[in-house]
Amino acid sequence: MKQAGFFDVEERLARLSGLGDQLEAFSRTVDFEVFRPELEKALAYSDGSKGGRPPFDPVLMFKILVIQTLNNLSDERTEYLINDRLSFMRFLGLGLSDRVPDAKTVWLFRERLTQSGAIERLFDRFDTTLRNAGYLPMSGQILDATLVAAPKQRNTNAEKADLRAGRIPEDWQDKPAKLSHKDRHARWTLKFTKAKRQDDGTIPATDLAIPFFGYKSHISIDRKYRFIRKWKTTDAAASDGARLREGLLDKANTASSVWADTAYRSKANEDFMEKQGFVSKVHRKKPQLKPIPRHIQKSNAGKSVIRSRVEHVFADQKSQMGLFIRTVGITRATIRIGLANIVYNMRRLIFLERISANA
């Protein structure tokens, strides 16, 4: 077997390009340097006068988080695959002889971003880039939420009661190691799904209620380009509708219409939208103990054609990125979901730019 040379590596990279390297599309379309000011502000590294190994470039480290998010990787698996895959090395600008950040370094970088609350600013920075490129929020907006699973906690009923009341269970207070592994912010809720058709062809009259533990991702996308424009992370048991009044509506959208499902229909929300100058296209609820009137049914069906577009966002994040919360606490869950939202917008930009180039 001959020893691999420079031109052999170049030939392999060219072959990867021909096969459709997704990361190459990211490098070609996304200017990652726009994130540098926010990254440097969040990290606040010293000037190196005290010595020690210099830190890795913050943009390189952020691109590692993008790789993680795209492929649903743990820190350990990320370290291994960066060393193993030429496509990862090329995306990061690393050569075969360059030093690769280890799993601990990746964890520390993400933790510094988490503690500084930088993810919202990084999201806003990329959203500004989208707007400057001509992708203004247009044609109204669509709101929805999805459950994001987290590792289940094995707590007693007394411990669950303490957590719901905002207290730390007494048995955990003198056990810092145990406390650090307990997620005190994730919550149980019921996930309702349509009952499946039985073997005899009948469909049960009631939907299925499945226990679910974790968090909830709330988003607002613009109808025109379907970029995520506003977002919020809560525990899984939080109400969808109440979040509408907590910064999920984008006043910069060129149209005033707001689409959402019946979970967002309430007098408080309708009054809020009217006061803020929005036009409600929220689904109307079925009257209690009465059949839904045909005109409302027809109106809801028309709204569903538009509202359903937001489901594609969650499908992309869960099927393509495998969105899952590996960490403990809502602060870390927020950066995980925030990264998924940024990466979704990057993927959406790549798609729209490709469509534009082929038109």
Side-chain angles (χ1 to χ4, degrees), residues 54-314:
F56 285 96
D57 180 73
V59 174
L60 179 146
M61 294 301 299
F62 182 70
K63 291 169 79 173
I64 289 178
L65 297 188
V66 170
I67 288 177
Q68 270 194 319
T69 304
L70 272 170
N71 299 279
N72 189 26
L73 301 175
S74 65
D75 294 338
E76 291 74 17
R77 188 66 178 165
T78 300
E79 178 188 355
Y80 173 81
L81 289 177
I82 292 173
N83 282 281
D84 182 66
R85 291 191 180 179
L86 287 175
S87 60
F88 284 14
M89 293 183 194
R90 175 168 63 180
F91 176 63
L92 298 174
L94 296 174
L96 292 174
S97 60
D98 290 329
R99 185 165 62 101
V100 173
D102 59 22
K104 183 67 173 180
T105 301
V106 175
W107 182 88
L108 287 171
F109 175 79
R110 188 175 57 252
E111 192 69 6
R112 292 188 74 162
L113 292 184
T114 301
Q115 299 306 322
S116 66
I119 191 63
E120 288 86 358
R121 297 194 298 274
L122 291 169
F123 180 90
D124 291 343
R125 175 73 67 167
F126 189 62
D127 186 61
T128 300
T129 300
L130 294 174
R131 295 172 192 246
N132 291 340
Y135 294 103
L136 298 174
M138 301 174 67
S139 304
Q141 51 199 300
I142 311 170
L143 275 63
D144 205 357
T146 190
L147 295 168
V148 183
K152 297 180 179 64
Q153 303 284 296
R154 308 299 179 184
N155 300 327
T156 65
N157 289 334
E159 289 170 342
K160 291 177 183 178
D162 284 336
L163 293 175
R164 283 194 294 268
R167 299 188 298 267
I168 299 176
E170 185 177 352
D171 186 49
W172 300 0
Q173 295 180 10
D174 57 349
K175 298 177 181 178
K178 182 176 183 177
L179 186 61
S180 66
H181 288 85
K182 287 291 187 178
D183 196 327
R184 291 173 281 154
H185 303 117
R187 291 290 183 269
W188 284 97
T189 190
L190 290 176
K191 180 180 181 181
F192 293 93
T193 184
K194 294 292 183 183
K196 295 182 180 178
R197 188 179 298 274
Q198 302 298 305
D199 293 338
D200 60 2
T202 61
I203 300 177
T206 58
D207 293 338
L208 299 177
I210 303 172
F212 185 94
F213 183 81
Y215 292 91
K216 190 176 285 186
S217 170
H218 308 261
I219 64 169
S220 172
I221 69 169
D222 69 278
R223 180 187 172 190
K224 173 71 173 180
Y225 297 112
R226 306 184 199 179
F227 286 112
I228 299 172
R229 301 295 184 171
K230 299 288 182 179
W231 62 281
K232 188 179 183 68
T233 301
T234 65
D235 64 77
S239 164
D240 293 358
R243 307 286 83 77
L244 180 145
R245 306 188 300 276
E246 297 179 356
L248 273 186
L249 295 179
D250 185 8
K251 293 185 177 181
N253 198 292
T254 59
S256 57
S257 298
V258 176
W259 286 265
D261 62 28
T262 55
Y264 296 85
R265 168 68 69 168
S266 69
K267 187 178 185 307
N269 282 350
E270 295 299 305
D271 291 344
F272 177 83
M273 285 188 282
E274 184 178 2
K275 185 177 180 180
Q276 296 295 320
F278 295 103
V279 177
S280 174
K281 300 288 185 180
V282 179
H283 279 44
R284 291 187 176 275
K285 298 180 180 179
K286 175 183 175 297
Q288 192 172 11
L289 302 177
K290 295 181 181 180
I292 185 168
R294 184 165 181 79
H295 71 281
I296 293 180
Q297 189 176 14
K298 188 175 181 180
S299 174
N300 283 348
K303 294 172 182 175
S304 291
V305 174
I306 297 172
R307 193 205 65 79
S308 62
R309 296 172 185 172
V310 73
E311 302 290 351
H312 302 166
V313 179
F314 297 137

Side-chain angles (χ1 to χ4, degrees), residues 6-63:
F6 172 78
F7 292 106
D8 297 307
V9 174
E10 288 296 304
E11 182 181 346
R12 181 64 61 84
L13 288 172
R15 192 177 306 170
L16 287 172
S17 297
L19 293 171
D21 180 7
Q22 178 183 207
L23 292 176
E24 192 172 29
F26 271 75
S27 296
R28 186 169 53 247
T29 308
V30 179
D31 179 12
F32 283 91
E33 283 297 318
V34 301
F35 297 104
R36 185 178 294 279
E38 295 300 336
L39 291 171
E40 291 181 342
K41 186 186 305 181
L43 299 171
Y45 288 127
S46 67
D47 59 6
S49 60
K50 295 183 180 179
R53 176 178 286 185
F56 285 96
D57 180 73
V59 174
L60 179 146
M61 294 301 299
F62 182 70
K63 291 169 79 173

